[in-house]
């Protein structure tokens, strides 16, 4: 056997990450890895160059790239024109992925239309399921009969209000390994956007729930990035907990992520305001990625020390990066990975935490408190 070369088992051990010899052979078949030289005994022999290439494949795969995308990325040469060709290829592949997601979303919607029905609709639901088994797609009559059954199923919605909890029990993945507060938080986030797939992207640090309960119970300061987020908060409960709401970008005309992002970059006063937030506050970012980036820098430089950061800004490049930077900090956090987010989700997350601490008071005395004590700054 050649000196310095690795067998396929030694190669997988060197790369790690759960890689198996079977996966390596599959990568050979796809053209991701070049075919190795063979020993006199016909063993595959690998070099350190193969180890490096395989490490790159594994790393890109862990970041979400599909194998055909990875092959294009690894094959491209560093010339500018080739990079342009690669970007065009990746854009085309992105559109294909989005089309697949759209098709899967249609399938999910059809399943949700059945599984999400409550007990009041179960009789009609059973008829629809029976008809699906007998459906003759070759005849227009068969399709018309199914449409009639769907219409009957939809007619049931006029007889009662929607039972959200009952629907979610059938649709949500198993959350039994999470605490009751986390389950409630995730359920509320799903209801806020109507997308069950969000569950896979919700990330909480291990100490997020305990830290939030301690801070909110002590009447901590709540700092939000825009007034739109502040308006969506449960002011009744927050008032009774003694939590005062502070808005960083306190311009009422700024209502979108684009406006909030640009304004925060242009106005130094709001960056300075961020540096002055109270120790132990709860920071809620629902729109501007730059606010979250500044928060991470300030935490890393020990300029601020919030008790919790709820990080759900919107964006396609800065927002995912800002969330990743936050998750590397030694600070409790709740976030939604990737581009997903928004003010409604950020406010919903805080409201779900507050709900776990106090039943909603059956009064509106907080309104007078806002006028007198300037609850929302």
């Amino acid at each position: 056997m050649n000196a310095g070369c690795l067998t396929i088992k030694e190669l997988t051990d060197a790369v790690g990450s759960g890689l198996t010899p079977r996966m390596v052979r599959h990568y050979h078949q796809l053209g991701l890895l070049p075919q190795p030289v063979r020993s006199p005994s016909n063993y595959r022999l690998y070099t350190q160059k193969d180890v490096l290439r395989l490490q790159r494949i594994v790393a890109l795969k862990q970041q979400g790239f599909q194998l055909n995308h990875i092959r294009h990325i690894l094959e491209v040469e560093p010339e500018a024109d080739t990079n342009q060709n690669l970007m065009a290829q990746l854009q085309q592949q992105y559109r294909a992925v989005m089309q697949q997601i759209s098709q899967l979303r249609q399938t999910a919607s059809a399943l949700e239309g059945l599984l999400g029905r409550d007990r009041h609709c179960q009789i009609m639901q059973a008829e629809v399921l029976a008809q699906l088994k007998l459906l003759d797609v070759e005849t227009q009559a068969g399709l018309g009969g199914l449409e009639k059954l769907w219409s009957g199923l939809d007619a049931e919605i006029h007889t009662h209000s929607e039972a959200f909890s009952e629907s979610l029990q059938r649709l949500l993945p198993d959350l039994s390994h999470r605490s009751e507060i986390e389950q409630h938080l995730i359920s509320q986030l799903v209801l806020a956007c109507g997308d069950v797939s969000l569950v896979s992207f919700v990330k909480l640090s291990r100490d997020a729930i305990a830290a939030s309960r301690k801070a909110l119970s002590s009447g901590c300061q709540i700092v939000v990035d825009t007034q739109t987020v502040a308006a969506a908060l449960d002011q009744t409960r927050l008032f009774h907990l003694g939590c005062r709401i502070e808005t960083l970008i306190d311009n009422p005309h700024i209502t979108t992520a684009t406006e909030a992002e640009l304004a925060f970059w242009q106005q130094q006063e709001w960056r300075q305001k961020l540096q002055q937030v109270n120790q132990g506050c709860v920071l809620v970012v629902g729109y501007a990625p730059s606010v979250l980036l500044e928060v991470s820098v300030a935490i890393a430089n020990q300029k601020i020390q919030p008790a919790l950061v709820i990080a759900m800004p919107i964006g396609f490049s800065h927002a995912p990066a800002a969330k990743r930077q936050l998750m590397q900090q030694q600070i409790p956090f709740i976030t939604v990975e990737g581009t997903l987010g928004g003010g409604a989700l950020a406010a919903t997350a805080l409201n779900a935490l507050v709900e776990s601490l106090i039943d909603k008071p059956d009064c509106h005395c907080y309104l007078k408190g806002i006028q007198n004590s300037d609850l929302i700054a």
Side-chain angles (χ1 to χ4, degrees):
M1 191 171 294
N2 295 356
C5 289
L6 305 174
T7 65
I8 193 168
K9 180 64 170 59
E10 292 170 336
L11 173 70
T12 56
D13 290 343
V15 175
S17 301
L19 199 66
T20 65
R22 182 178 179 181
M23 294 167 67
V24 173
R25 289 191 288 269
H26 182 56
Y27 293 162
H28 285 310
Q29 293 174 351
L30 295 177
L32 277 167
L33 274 176
Q35 290 293 336
V37 298
R38 297 273 183 165
S39 71
S41 303
N42 205 33
Y43 285 103
R44 292 183 173 89
L45 298 179
Y46 298 91
T47 65
Q48 287 301 314
K49 184 178 180 180
D50 295 315
V51 173
L52 179 60
R53 185 176 178 89
L54 194 53
Q55 286 174 336
R56 289 172 177 165
I57 294 171
V58 171
L60 290 169
K61 192 168 182 289
Q62 289 175 344
Q63 289 299 312
F65 288 97
Q66 295 183 4
L67 295 179
N68 59 328
H69 304 162
I70 294 173
R71 184 175 65 253
H72 287 300
I73 292 172
L74 294 181
E75 288 175 354
V76 71
E77 297 297 332
E79 287 83 5
D81 58 340
T82 310
N83 281 332
Q84 289 179 353
N85 292 335
L86 174 63
M87 293 302 294
Q89 291 176 6
L90 292 179
Q91 188 175 43
Q92 183 178 4
Q93 290 165 0
Y94 171 76
R95 289 169 179 164
V97 169
M98 293 306 296
Q99 185 175 7
Q100 292 172 2
I101 291 174
S102 177
Q103 293 170 347
L104 289 172
R105 181 65 257 176
Q106 290 178 340
T107 302
S109 295
L111 292 170
E112 288 164 355
L114 290 172
L115 297 174
R117 304 287 174 162
D118 54 39
R119 65 182 181 277
H120 297 286
C121 300
Q122 284 181 353
I123 295 177
M124 186 61 69
Q125 181 187 57
E127 292 183 19
V128 172
L129 288 171
Q131 183 65 23
L132 285 173
K133 294 179 182 179
L134 302 174
L135 179 62
D136 183 1
V137 296
E138 298 297 328
T139 66
Q140 192 65 32
L143 291 174
L146 181 61
E147 288 291 336
K148 184 177 180 180
L149 282 172
W150 277 110
S151 297
L153 185 58
D154 291 339
E156 294 294 322
I157 66 175
H158 298 286
T159 64
H160 59 281
S161 60
E162 182 158 353
F164 290 109
S165 298
E166 191 174 337
S167 297
L168 284 176
Q169 286 177 2
R170 294 190 179 93
L171 298 175
L172 287 174
D174 181 18
L175 300 176
S176 59
H177 60 289
R178 295 180 178 270
S179 69
E180 289 186 12
I181 297 176
E182 287 183 72
Q183 291 180 36
H184 175 66
L185 169 67
I186 292 171
S187 297
Q188 294 303 106
L189 289 173
V190 169
L191 287 175
C193 67
D195 188 351
V196 179
S197 67
L198 182 76
V199 175
S200 302
F201 300 96
V202 178
K203 303 297 177 184
L204 293 83
S205 62
R206 183 173 299 181
D207 52 349
I209 299 299
S212 68
R213 292 176 67 82
K214 181 179 178 181
L216 292 168
S217 297
S218 64
C220 68
Q221 180 190 39
I222 309 294
V223 182
V224 301
D225 56 343
T226 68
Q227 291 191 7
T228 305
V229 176
L233 295 180
D234 189 339
Q235 297 172 21
T236 303
R237 286 192 176 95
L238 288 172
F239 174 77
H240 283 272
L241 287 170
C243 296
R244 183 174 181 272
I245 304 170
E246 181 84 17
T247 305
L248 281 177
I249 306 173
D250 54 359
N251 183 338
H253 299 292
I254 295 175
T255 57
T256 68
T258 302
E259 292 170 343
E261 179 74 355
L262 185 60
F264 191 75
W265 269 103
Q266 292 179 339
Q267 300 294 329
Q268 186 64 29
E269 62 180 289
W270 291 325
R271 292 173 176 269
Q272 295 172 350
K273 192 174 181 180
L274 177 61
Q275 304 286 336
Q276 298 168 0
V277 300
N278 295 343
Q279 180 175 340
C281 68
V282 172
L283 280 166
V284 185
V285 183
Y287 281 96
S290 291
V291 172
L292 184 56
L293 287 170
E294 193 75 13
V295 166
S296 295
V297 171
I299 292 172
N301 294 334
Q302 299 182 340
K303 299 291 185 181
I304 63 173
Q305 190 176 358
L308 172 73
V309 179
I310 297 176
M312 300 185 186
I314 302 171
F316 301 98
S317 59
H318 288 51
K323 294 170 184 176
R324 286 193 293 267
Q325 288 188 21
L326 173 69
M327 288 189 282
Q328 295 171 0
Q329 304 292 333
Q330 299 300 316
I331 204 77
F333 66 82
I334 300 173
T335 190
V336 177
E337 281 186 315
T339 62
L340 300 172
L345 285 179
T348 297
L350 180 63
N351 290 342
L353 296 172
V354 174
E355 287 174 21
S356 69
L357 287 171
I358 181 174
D359 291 332
K360 196 163 190 174
D362 189 19
C363 67
H364 295 284
C365 58
Y366 75 95
L367 292 173
K368 182 178 179 181
I370 292 175
Q371 295 171 356
N372 294 340
S373 62
D374 192 26
L375 177 61
I376 300 182

